[in-house]
């Protein structure tokens, strides 16, 4: 007699009679495909633009001195390093739109000029491996222009000449310098204005130097390094 179970045999016949459905191929995402790169660029643009706006917002309501100001141009500059000029300009524009909604158009304009433009300039120079000296001087010129733009804008909104207040402060400084140098003369208005512009430019230059140092430490960790600092900076920081 056959020892096979007739119940199991019926199941085997049923299984043999039904064909196995073919397996559908699983779509694979190619990280180098155009659609994936466009999606990543759009997501990172939105994220870094929001980060730049958030840093400006926190610094406005909870000022921590120069600590957060150093990070103003870094998110948009990182966009330029990763995705090029179009993403950087879009990030700066999105940051301005977000700040317009959250704080009003005046504060958004003050952010875009100079920090938005400065961020794009730094990203472009860093991506092209421009030396620190040239990128710092160019950024300082943009920072000086942004300073005078803010004074011009606020003077119009407040109905007062804020530049005259700066001139009065610089007059006291110029008289102190003349007294220390033993110059028995009254400083002229041209000298006072040139002194004010020089101090504003030096302040912007120091700010750009701090931004470069922070970007050197932060962006290297993120895999988007900037050009190496000058030799004297490497010696001071013991950085290779």
């Amino acid at each position: 007699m056959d020892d096979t179970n007739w119940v199991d045999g019926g199941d085997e016949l049923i299984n043999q009679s039904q064909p196995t459905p073919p397996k559908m191929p699983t779509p694979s995402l190619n990280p180098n495909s155009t659609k994936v790169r466009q999606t990543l660029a759009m997501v990172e643009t939105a994220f870094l633009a929001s980060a730049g706006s958030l840093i400006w917002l926190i610094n406005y309501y909870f000022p921590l001195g120069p600590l957060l100001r150093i990070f103003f141009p870094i998110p948009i500059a990182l966009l330029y390093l990763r995705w090029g000029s179009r993403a950087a300009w879009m990030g700066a524009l999105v940051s301005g739109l977000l700040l317009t909604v959250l704080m009003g158009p005046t504060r958004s304009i003050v952010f875009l000029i100079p920090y938005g433009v400065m961020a794009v300039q730094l990203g472009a120079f860093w991506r092209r491996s421009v030396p620190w000296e040239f990128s710092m001087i160019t950024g300082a010129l943009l920072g000086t222009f942004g300073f005078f733009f803010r004074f011009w804008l606020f003077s119009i909104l407040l109905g007062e000449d804020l530049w005259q207040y700066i001139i009065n402060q610089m007059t006291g400084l110029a008289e102190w310098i003349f007294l220390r140098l033993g110059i028995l003369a009254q400083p002229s208005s041209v000298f006072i204005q040139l002194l004010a512009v020089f101090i504003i430019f030096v302040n912007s230059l120091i700010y750009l130097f701090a931004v470069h140092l922070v970007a050197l430490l932060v962006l290297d960790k993120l895999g988007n390094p900037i050009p190496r600092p000058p030799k004297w900076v490497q010696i001071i920081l013991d950085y290779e």
Side-chain angles (χ1 to χ4, degrees), residues 78-89:
L78 178 59
L79 268 179
Y80 201 113
L81 290 175
R82 293 182 61 83
W83 302 107
S85 61
R86 184 176 182 273
W89 284 113

Side-chain angles (χ1 to χ4, degrees), residues 127-183:
R127 190 169 185 176
R128 292 167 176 80
S129 299
V130 176
W132 277 32
E133 293 84 358
F134 188 71
S135 61
M136 286 171 53
I137 292 174
T138 307
L141 291 175
L142 289 176
T144 304
F145 171 77
F147 180 88
F148 285 105
F149 176 81
R150 289 196 302 270
F151 261 71
W152 170 78
L153 181 62
F154 291 150
S155 296
I156 293 177
L157 295 177
L158 298 176
E160 297 181 2
D161 189 6
L162 298 180
W163 178 246
Q164 188 62 40
Y165 173 77
I166 296 295
I167 293 301
N168 293 334
Q169 298 296 323
M170 289 298 106
T171 301
L173 179 61
E175 291 177 352
W176 180 83
I177 293 175
F178 275 34
L179 181 62
R180 288 295 180 179
L181 295 177
I183 301 175

Side-chain angles (χ1 to χ4, degrees), residues 27-150:
S28 59
L29 294 177
N30 184 9
N32 295 323
S33 63
T34 304
K35 291 185 177 180
V36 173
R37 289 183 59 84
Q38 290 178 352
T39 304
L40 287 175
M42 181 177 62
V43 172
E44 290 190 11
T45 300
F47 176 77
L48 291 175
S50 302
S53 302
L54 183 62
I55 294 172
W56 174 268
L57 185 68
I58 294 175
N59 184 77
Y60 180 77
Y61 289 107
F62 306 99
L64 300 176
L67 179 62
L68 290 179
R69 290 184 67 249
I70 298 175
F71 291 91
F72 285 167
I74 290 181
I76 307 301
L78 178 59
L79 268 179
Y80 201 113
L81 290 175
R82 293 182 61 83
W83 302 107
S85 61
R86 184 176 182 273
W89 284 113
M90 288 298 296
L93 180 61
V94 171
S95 296
L97 293 176
L98 287 175
L99 291 175
T100 301
V101 174
L102 296 174
M103 305 177 66
T106 303
R107 295 298 174 183
S108 65
I109 294 174
V110 172
F111 171 77
L112 290 176
I113 302 175
Y115 297 108
V117 180
M118 184 188 297
V120 178
Q121 172 258 325
L122 290 176
F125 283 16
W126 290 343
R127 190 169 185 176
R128 292 167 176 80
S129 299
V130 176
W132 277 32
E133 293 84 358
F134 188 71
S135 61
M136 286 171 53
I137 292 174
T138 307
L141 291 175
L142 289 176
T144 304
F145 171 77
F147 180 88
F148 285 105
F149 176 81
R150 289 196 302 270

